[in-house]
Amino acid sequence: MMRDKQLTLGGLFSAFWPQITVTWAMTLVEVGLFASVPLLIGFAIDGLIQDDYAAFYQLGGVFLVLIVVATLRWVYDTRAYGIMRVELGKALVARSGTMPVSRLNARLTMGRELVDFLEKEAPESVTSIVRATAAIVILAGFHPNLAFAAFAALVITGLLYALVHRRFFNLNRSLNVQSEKQVGVLESRSLPRLGAHLLALRKSEVRISDTEGVIYGLISVALLGLQMFNLWFATRGLGATAGQVFSIITYSWDFVESALVLPITLQTFSRLSEITGRINQTEAFS
């Protein structure tokens, strides 16, 4: 099914669009239900205080549908993305020519990361985008200042990542170059070569992890500052009910969790862009 198609995310979409459409449709339904939960909890709190159970029963119905949809998507995804991994691997080997086995073995593993992204990171990214958007819209319904604080934190997050995108690409390139040598190193049966190889892998992994840690810390400062501001503003500036305060704080935290996925997703894109260029080369990738 991958014949005559580029070994890219776009190529996978083109070859497997029916399966991807089904799983993403279920993902969007699941995300929409999740996004409504904090608001419904707030309504249920206010309703129960007044001995009104309507919102409480609505919340229970949403939970039930959410469980059914999430279970169906889990079962379907395993089968659909398993087929993609098989077809991508077959296409990669078919185009390998006389590529050394060590390099081909590494690229098979790298290629699977494209499907892993579609199965795991892509739905998580879509979920985060929808949740963050819903949080901003709902917070704006309570007060524009709450939504403005969230939007400002999101802009800061994007700018911080933009500063290190090129570094992530280069670090992943170094890691992949070294990974392609692994089988050859093992075949040599040389402990010194193996030690040097493993140390080189560790060096690249540490650099990637350190960069992730610094960026995550800086982004967390901006996002947690948002949470503190909205908590203060909701309790001091709005005169909101207990249920409304709960909804504001929950959606603010929901936004924080969603926005924290953004740098992880962008880092993954940096890695996949390097991998895509590599696995579509039939000659050594220098």
Side-chain angles (χ1 to χ4, degrees):
M1 297 180 69
M2 293 295 294
R3 185 179 302 173
D4 301 325
K5 297 185 184 298
Q6 285 279 58
L7 306 181
T8 63
L9 292 175
L12 287 169
F13 269 112
S14 177
F16 299 98
W17 66 266
Q19 294 92 332
I20 293 175
T21 299
V22 171
T23 188
W24 277 42
M26 288 192 287
T27 297
L28 289 175
V29 171
E30 188 177 342
V31 172
L33 293 172
F34 261 122
S36 70
V37 167
L39 191 61
L40 289 175
I41 291 177
F43 290 156
I45 290 173
D46 289 339
L48 290 172
I49 290 175
Q50 300 173 16
D51 204 28
D52 181 356
Y53 284 79
F56 178 75
Y57 293 138
Q58 290 173 359
L59 179 63
V62 168
F63 281 153
L64 180 61
V65 175
L66 184 58
I67 292 170
V68 172
V69 173
T71 302
L72 289 175
R73 185 173 71 86
W74 184 294
V75 172
Y76 181 82
D77 282 3
T78 302
R79 290 159 176 77
Y81 290 109
I83 294 173
M84 293 183 206
R85 290 187 181 90
V86 171
E87 294 300 325
L88 180 63
K90 288 163 59 178
L92 179 57
V93 172
R95 303 176 195 187
S96 65
T98 58
M99 183 182 297
V101 173
S102 60
R103 190 175 300 126
L104 179 58
N105 177 72
R107 292 188 184 184
L108 275 173
T109 301
M110 294 176 198
R112 290 174 64 89
E113 292 189 33
L114 296 177
V115 182
D116 290 344
F117 175 81
L118 289 177
E119 182 179 9
K120 300 172 184 177
E121 284 88 349
E124 289 176 358
S125 301
V126 172
T127 298
S128 297
I129 291 172
V130 173
R131 288 172 62 189
T133 302
I136 290 176
V137 170
I138 293 172
L139 288 172
F142 288 108
H143 196 283
N145 286 351
L146 299 171
F148 178 78
F151 183 76
L154 187 62
V155 171
I156 292 172
T157 297
L159 290 175
L160 286 171
Y161 181 82
L163 295 175
V164 295
H165 167 72
R166 176 52 55 180
R167 176 173 174 80
F168 273 130
F169 182 91
N170 291 332
L171 289 174
N172 279 297
R173 183 174 185 273
S174 297
L175 179 63
N176 290 336
V177 167
Q178 193 64 39
S179 297
E180 289 186 345
K181 301 175 182 178
Q182 182 158 294
V183 173
V185 171
L186 293 173
E187 288 177 339
S188 72
R189 304 287 182 175
S190 170
L191 287 180
R193 281 190 63 190
L194 176 61
H197 166 72
L198 295 177
L199 285 174
L201 288 177
R202 176 184 176 276
K203 185 177 181 180
S204 293
E205 291 166 348
V206 167
R207 286 178 174 176
I208 292 173
S209 178
D210 287 349
T211 304
E212 289 174 340
V214 171
I215 289 299
Y216 182 86
L218 292 175
I219 289 173
S220 295
V221 171
L223 294 176
L224 294 179
L226 153 74
Q227 180 74 358
M228 296 297 289
F229 171 81
N230 281 4
L231 173 61
W232 170 82
F233 192 83
T235 55
R236 294 294 182 179
L238 289 182
T241 66
Q244 289 173 335
V245 170
F246 172 84
S247 292
I248 290 171
I249 299 309
T250 301
Y251 276 109
S252 297
W253 184 250
D254 202 36
F255 178 85
V256 169
E257 290 185 324
S258 300
L260 284 174
V261 175
L262 176 62
I264 298 173
T265 301
L266 294 175
Q267 203 272 32
T268 302
F269 268 124
S270 297
R271 175 165 176 77
L272 291 183
S273 64
E274 202 285 332
I275 288 175
T276 296
R278 184 176 297 275
I279 66 176
N280 282 282
Q281 297 288 326
T282 57
E283 301 298 329
F285 192 102
S286 58

Coordinates of all heavy atoms in Angstrom, one line a residue, residues 89-136:
G89 N 7.4 -0.9 6.9 CA 8.6 -1.6 7.0 C 8.9 -2.3 5.7 O 10.1 -2.4 5.2
K90 N 7.9 -2.9 5.0 CA 8.1 -3.6 3.7 C 8.5 -2.6 2.7 O 9.4 -2.9 1.9 CB 6.8 -4.3 3.3 CG 6.4 -5.5 4.2 CD 5.0 -5.9 4.0 CE 4.6 -6.2 2.6 NZ 3.2 -6.7 2.5
A91 N 7.9 -1.4 2.6 CA 8.3 -0.5 1.6 C 9.7 0.0 1.8 O 10.5 0.2 0.9 CB 7.3 0.7 1.7
L92 N 10.1 0.2 3.1 CA 11.5 0.7 3.4 C 12.5 -0.3 3.0 O 13.5 0.0 2.3 CB 11.6 1.0 4.9 CG 12.9 1.4 5.4 CD1 13.4 2.7 4.7 CD2 12.9 1.7 6.9
V93 N 12.3 -1.6 3.2 CA 13.2 -2.6 2.9 C 13.3 -2.8 1.3 O 14.4 -2.9 0.8 CB 12.9 -4.0 3.5 CG1 13.7 -5.1 3.0 CG2 13.0 -3.9 5.0
A94 N 12.1 -2.7 0.7 CA 12.1 -2.8 -0.8 C 12.9 -1.7 -1.5 O 13.4 -1.9 -2.6 CB 10.6 -2.8 -1.3
R95 N 13.1 -0.6 -0.8 CA 13.8 0.5 -1.5 C 15.2 0.6 -1.0 O 15.9 1.6 -1.3 CB 13.1 1.9 -1.2 CG 11.6 1.9 -1.6 CD 10.9 3.1 -1.3 NE 9.5 3.0 -1.4 CZ 8.6 4.0 -1.3 NH1 9.1 5.2 -1.0 NH2 7.3 3.8 -1.4
S96 N 15.7 -0.3 -0.2 CA 17.0 -0.2 0.5 C 18.1 -0.5 -0.4 O 19.2 -0.1 -0.1 CB 17.0 -1.1 1.7 OG 16.9 -2.5 1.3
G97 N 17.9 -1.2 -1.5 CA 19.0 -1.6 -2.4 C 20.0 -2.4 -1.7 O 19.7 -3.4 -1.1
T98 N 21.3 -1.9 -1.8 CA 22.4 -2.6 -1.2 C 22.8 -2.0 0.1 O 23.9 -2.1 0.5 CB 23.6 -2.7 -2.1 OG1 24.0 -1.3 -2.5 CG2 23.2 -3.4 -3.4
M99 N 21.9 -1.3 0.8 CA 22.2 -0.6 2.0 C 22.7 -1.6 3.1 O 22.2 -2.7 3.2 CB 21.0 0.1 2.5 CG 21.2 0.9 3.8 SD 19.6 1.6 4.4 CE 19.3 2.7 3.0
P100 N 23.8 -1.3 3.8 CA 24.3 -2.2 4.8 C 23.2 -2.5 5.8 O 22.3 -1.7 6.2 CB 25.4 -1.4 5.5 CG 25.8 -0.4 4.5 CD 24.6 -0.1 3.7
V101 N 23.2 -3.8 6.3 CA 22.2 -4.2 7.2 C 22.1 -3.4 8.5 O 21.0 -3.1 9.0 CB 22.4 -5.7 7.6 CG1 21.4 -6.2 8.7 CG2 22.3 -6.6 6.4
S102 N 23.3 -2.9 9.0 CA 23.3 -2.1 10.2 C 22.5 -0.8 10.0 O 21.7 -0.5 10.9 CB 24.7 -1.8 10.6 OG 25.3 -1.0 9.6
R103 N 22.6 -0.2 8.9 CA 21.9 1.0 8.6 C 20.4 0.7 8.4 O 19.5 1.5 8.9 CB 22.5 1.8 7.4 CG 21.9 3.2 7.2 CD 22.7 3.9 6.1 NE 24.1 4.0 6.4 CZ 25.0 3.6 5.5 NH1 24.7 3.0 4.4 NH2 26.3 3.7 5.9
L104 N 20.1 -0.3 7.7 CA 18.7 -0.7 7.4 C 18.0 -1.0 8.7 O 16.8 -0.6 8.8 CB 18.7 -1.8 6.4 CG 17.3 -2.4 6.0 CD1 16.5 -1.3 5.4 CD2 17.4 -3.5 5.1
N105 N 18.6 -1.8 9.5 CA 18.0 -2.1 10.8 C 17.6 -0.9 11.6 O 16.5 -0.8 12.2 CB 19.0 -3.0 11.6 CG 18.4 -3.4 13.0 OD1 17.5 -4.2 13.1 ND2 19.0 -2.8 14.0
A106 N 18.5 0.1 11.7 CA 18.3 1.3 12.4 C 17.1 2.1 11.8 O 16.3 2.6 12.5 CB 19.5 2.2 12.5
R107 N 17.1 2.1 10.5 CA 16.0 2.9 9.8 C 14.7 2.2 9.9 O 13.6 2.9 9.9 CB 16.4 3.1 8.3 CG 17.6 4.0 8.2 CD 17.9 4.4 6.7 NE 19.1 5.2 6.7 CZ 19.6 5.8 5.6 NH1 19.0 5.6 4.4 NH2 20.7 6.5 5.6
L108 N 14.6 0.9 10.0 CA 13.4 0.2 10.3 C 12.8 0.7 11.6 O 11.6 1.0 11.7 CB 13.6 -1.3 10.3 CG 13.5 -2.0 8.9 CD1 13.9 -3.5 9.1 CD2 12.1 -1.9 8.3
T109 N 13.6 0.8 12.6 CA 13.2 1.2 13.9 C 12.8 2.7 13.9 O 11.7 3.1 14.4 CB 14.3 1.1 14.9 OG1 14.7 -0.3 15.0 CG2 13.9 1.6 16.3
M110 N 13.5 3.5 13.1 CA 13.2 4.9 13.0 C 11.9 5.1 12.3 O 11.0 5.9 12.6 CB 14.3 5.7 12.2 CG 15.6 5.8 13.0 SD 16.9 6.6 11.9 CE 18.4 6.1 12.7
G111 N 11.7 4.3 11.2 CA 10.4 4.4 10.4 C 9.2 4.1 11.3 O 8.1 4.7 11.1
R112 N 9.3 3.2 12.2 CA 8.2 2.9 13.1 C 7.8 4.1 13.9 O 6.6 4.2 14.3 CB 8.5 1.7 14.0 CG 8.6 0.4 13.2 CD 9.1 -0.7 14.2 NE 8.1 -1.0 15.2 CZ 7.1 -1.9 15.1 NH1 7.0 -2.6 14.0 NH2 6.3 -2.1 16.1
E113 N 8.7 5.0 14.1 CA 8.4 6.2 14.9 C 7.3 7.1 14.2 O 6.6 7.8 14.8 CB 9.6 7.0 15.2 CG 10.6 6.3 16.2 CD 11.7 7.2 16.6 OE1 11.5 8.4 16.7 OE2 12.8 6.7 16.8
L114 N 7.3 7.0 12.9 CA 6.3 7.8 12.1 C 4.9 7.3 12.5 O 4.0 8.1 12.7 CB 6.5 7.7 10.6 CG 7.8 8.3 10.1 CD1 7.9 8.0 8.6 CD2 7.9 9.8 10.4
V115 N 4.7 5.9 12.5 CA 3.4 5.3 12.9 C 3.1 5.6 14.3 O 2.0 5.8 14.7 CB 3.4 3.8 12.5 CG1 2.0 3.3 12.8 CG2 3.7 3.6 11.0
D116 N 4.2 5.4 15.2 CA 4.0 5.7 16.6 C 3.4 7.1 16.8 O 2.6 7.3 17.7 CB 5.3 5.5 17.3 CG 5.8 4.1 17.4 OD1 5.0 3.2 17.1 OD2 7.0 3.9 17.7
F117 N 3.9 8.0 16.0 CA 3.5 9.4 16.2 C 2.0 9.5 15.8 O 1.2 10.2 16.5 CB 4.3 10.4 15.3 CG 3.8 11.8 15.3 CD1 4.1 12.6 16.3 CD2 3.0 12.2 14.2 CE1 3.7 13.9 16.3 CE2 2.5 13.5 14.2 CZ 2.8 14.4 15.3
L118 N 1.6 8.9 14.7 CA 0.2 8.9 14.3 C -0.7 8.3 15.3 O -1.9 8.7 15.5 CB 0.0 8.3 12.9 CG 0.6 9.0 11.7 CD1 0.4 8.2 10.5 CD2 -0.1 10.4 11.6
E119 N -0.2 7.2 15.9 CA -1.0 6.4 16.9 C -1.1 7.1 18.2 O -2.2 7.1 18.9 CB -0.5 5.0 17.1 CG -1.3 4.2 18.0 CD -0.8 2.8 18.2 OE1 0.3 2.5 17.7 OE2 -1.5 1.9 18.8
K120 N 0.0 7.7 18.7 CA 0.0 8.2 20.1 C 0.1 9.8 20.1 O -0.8 10.4 20.6 CB 1.2 7.6 20.8 CG 1.1 6.1 20.9 CD 2.3 5.5 21.5 CE 2.3 3.9 21.4 NZ 3.5 3.3 21.9
E121 N 1.2 10.3 19.6 CA 1.4 11.7 19.8 C 0.4 12.6 19.0 O 0.0 13.6 19.5 CB 2.9 12.1 19.3 CG 3.9 11.8 20.3 CD 4.5 10.4 20.1 OE1 3.8 9.6 19.4 OE2 5.5 10.0 20.8
A122 N 0.1 12.2 17.8 CA -0.9 13.0 17.0 C -2.2 13.1 17.7 O -2.7 14.2 17.8 CB -1.0 12.4 15.6
P123 N -2.9 12.0 18.2 CA -4.1 12.2 18.9 C -4.0 13.0 20.2 O -4.8 13.8 20.5 CB -4.5 10.7 19.2 CG -3.9 9.9 18.2 CD -2.6 10.6 17.9
E124 N -2.8 12.8 20.8 CA -2.6 13.6 22.0 C -2.5 15.1 21.7 O -2.9 16.0 22.4 CB -1.3 13.2 22.7 CG -1.4 11.8 23.4 CD -0.1 11.3 24.0 OE1 0.9 12.1 23.9 OE2 -0.1 10.2 24.6
S125 N -1.8 15.4 20.5 CA -1.7 16.8 20.1 C -3.0 17.4 19.7 O -3.3 18.5 20.1 CB -0.7 16.8 18.9 OG 0.6 16.3 19.2
V126 N -3.8 16.6 19.0 CA -5.2 17.1 18.6 C -6.0 17.3 19.9 O -6.7 18.3 20.0 CB -5.9 16.1 17.7 CG1 -7.3 16.5 17.5 CG2 -5.1 16.0 16.4
T127 N -5.9 16.4 20.8 CA -6.6 16.5 22.1 C -6.2 17.8 22.8 O -7.0 18.6 23.3 CB -6.3 15.3 23.0 OG1 -6.8 14.1 22.3 CG2 -7.0 15.5 24.3
S128 N -4.9 18.0 22.8 CA -4.4 19.2 23.5 C -4.8 20.5 22.9 O -5.2 21.5 23.6 CB -2.8 19.2 23.6 OG -2.4 18.0 24.3
I129 N -4.8 20.5 21.5 CA -5.2 21.7 20.8 C -6.7 22.0 21.1 O -7.1 23.2 21.4 CB -5.0 21.6 19.3 CG1 -3.5 21.6 19.0 CG2 -5.7 22.7 18.5 CD1 -3.1 21.2 17.6
V130 N -7.5 21.0 21.0 CA -9.0 21.2 21.2 C -9.2 21.6 22.7 O -10.0 22.5 23.0 CB -9.7 19.9 20.9 CG1 -11.2 20.0 21.3 CG2 -9.6 19.6 19.4
R131 N -8.6 20.9 23.6 CA -8.7 21.3 25.0 C -8.3 22.7 25.3 O -8.9 23.4 26.1 CB -8.0 20.3 25.9 CG -8.6 18.9 26.0 CD -7.8 17.9 26.7 NE -7.5 18.3 28.1 CZ -6.7 17.6 28.9 NH1 -5.9 16.6 28.4 NH2 -6.5 18.0 30.1
A132 N -7.1 23.1 24.8 CA -6.6 24.4 25.0 C -7.6 25.5 24.4 O -7.8 26.5 25.0 CB -5.2 24.6 24.4
T133 N -8.0 25.2 23.2 CA -9.0 26.1 22.6 C -10.3 26.2 23.4 O -10.8 27.3 23.6 CB -9.3 25.7 21.1 OG1 -8.1 25.6 20.4 CG2 -10.2 26.6 20.4
A134 N -10.8 25.1 23.8 CA -12.0 25.1 24.6 C -11.8 25.8 25.9 O -12.7 26.6 26.3 CB -12.5 23.6 24.8
A135 N -10.7 25.6 26.5 CA -10.4 26.3 27.8 C -10.4 27.8 27.6 O -10.9 28.6 28.4 CB -9.1 25.8 28.3
I136 N -9.7 28.3 26.5 CA -9.6 29.7 26.3 C -11.0 30.3 26.0 O -11.4 31.4 26.6 CB -8.7 30.0 25.1 CG1 -7.3 29.7 25.4 CG2 -8.8 31.5 24.6 CD1 -6.3 29.9 24.3

